[in-house]
Amino acid sequence: FRRRALKLGREFVRQGRLDSVEQIFNLSMAEISKAQTDVDMELRPLVEAHLQPYRIVEHVQTWPLLIDSRGKILRENRRTTDSQDPNVLLADPVAPGKIRGKAKVLKSPYEKPVFSGEVLVARFTEPSWTPIFINASAVVMEVGGPLQHGAIIAREYGIPCVSGLENATSLISDGDVLEVDGSLGAVRFVDKE
């Protein structure tokens, strides 16, 4: 399907009906089918209409983790351990195990390489991130739960994973030595002790 869509996208660009090949993915199947038979059909306004909901929220940097049924944003103040150890951050345990490694903070899957043994730290992951997990010794995510893609892949690969660690990509820097405990849901800064 993707190859066929890209072929049609190239054709619509060549006809001057789209600005880029990728815009084909901003059209519905019905619109694409109709556009194939109706050469006068304007596609740019349809693309713009489909992108409008995304433009409304493109300024949002971070989404709340929890919103109640009334629309109230709930922010949990996570405590560290009982001893209030400033080097420990608590999250949700989603894949068991305990490991130490250097952090690699990524905002997108191929922004920089993750080397063997590094701890992948990300806002979230989705299927395109799967190859990154091969080298990761553990995963720390800001968003997600036990059924989130990253948690499932971490369990499949047998690596510790925690999620729900708000601002993890800001609190943790590349090279920080971390101990990730996926059984307890704890991330400890080893090099700051």
Side-chain angles (χ1 to χ4, degrees), residues 64-81:
L65 298 177
L66 190 60
I67 302 174
D68 75 6
S69 61
R70 298 164 298 192
K72 181 179 178 184
I73 295 172
L74 304 174
R75 299 208 185 268
E76 179 182 2
N77 290 327
R78 288 192 185 266
R79 301 184 74 92
T80 57
T81 61

Side-chain angles (χ1 to χ4, degrees), residues 45-185:
L46 295 172
V47 167
E48 187 56 38
H50 290 299
L51 290 175
Q52 189 57 32
Y54 296 99
R55 288 196 168 71
I56 291 170
V57 296
E58 69 186 352
H59 67 282
V60 176
Q61 295 295 312
T62 58
W63 292 94
L65 298 177
L66 190 60
I67 302 174
D68 75 6
S69 61
R70 298 164 298 192
K72 181 179 178 184
I73 295 172
L74 304 174
R75 299 208 185 268
E76 179 182 2
N77 290 327
R78 288 192 185 266
R79 301 184 74 92
T80 57
T81 61
D82 291 337
S83 65
Q84 290 298 304
D85 184 344
N87 294 321
V88 176
L89 303 170
L90 290 184
D92 299 320
V94 293
K98 186 188 234 182
I99 196 106
R100 283 186 184 196
K102 288 186 177 181
K104 182 63 67 101
V105 181
L106 296 181
K107 303 237 186 310
S108 65
Y110 301 106
E111 144 187 17
K112 53 192 164 190
V114 174
F115 297 108
S116 182
E118 289 184 318
V119 175
L120 170 61
V121 180
R123 232 180 102 46
F124 63 90
T125 65
E126 39 84 13
S128 68
W129 290 70
T130 303
I132 309 301
F133 282 65
I134 292 170
N135 285 336
S137 62
V139 181
V140 176
M141 297 181 294
E142 292 182 9
V143 178
L147 296 178
Q148 196 262 4
H149 179 266
I152 293 169
I153 297 302
R155 286 192 299 273
E156 286 180 3
Y157 285 21
I159 58 177
C161 180
V162 300
S163 68
L165 182 51
E166 198 169 345
N167 298 317
T169 57
S170 302
L171 296 170
I172 300 170
S173 302
D174 280 355
D176 285 346
V177 179
L178 305 175
E179 181 179 83
V180 178
D181 189 332
S183 302
L184 294 177

Side-chain angles (χ1 to χ4, degrees), residues 26-27 31-32 35 41-51:
N26 298 118
L27 298 170
E31 291 165 341
I32 293 169
M41 183 176 174
E42 288 289 328
L43 300 179
R44 286 185 184 95
L46 295 172
V47 167
E48 187 56 38
H50 290 299
L51 290 175

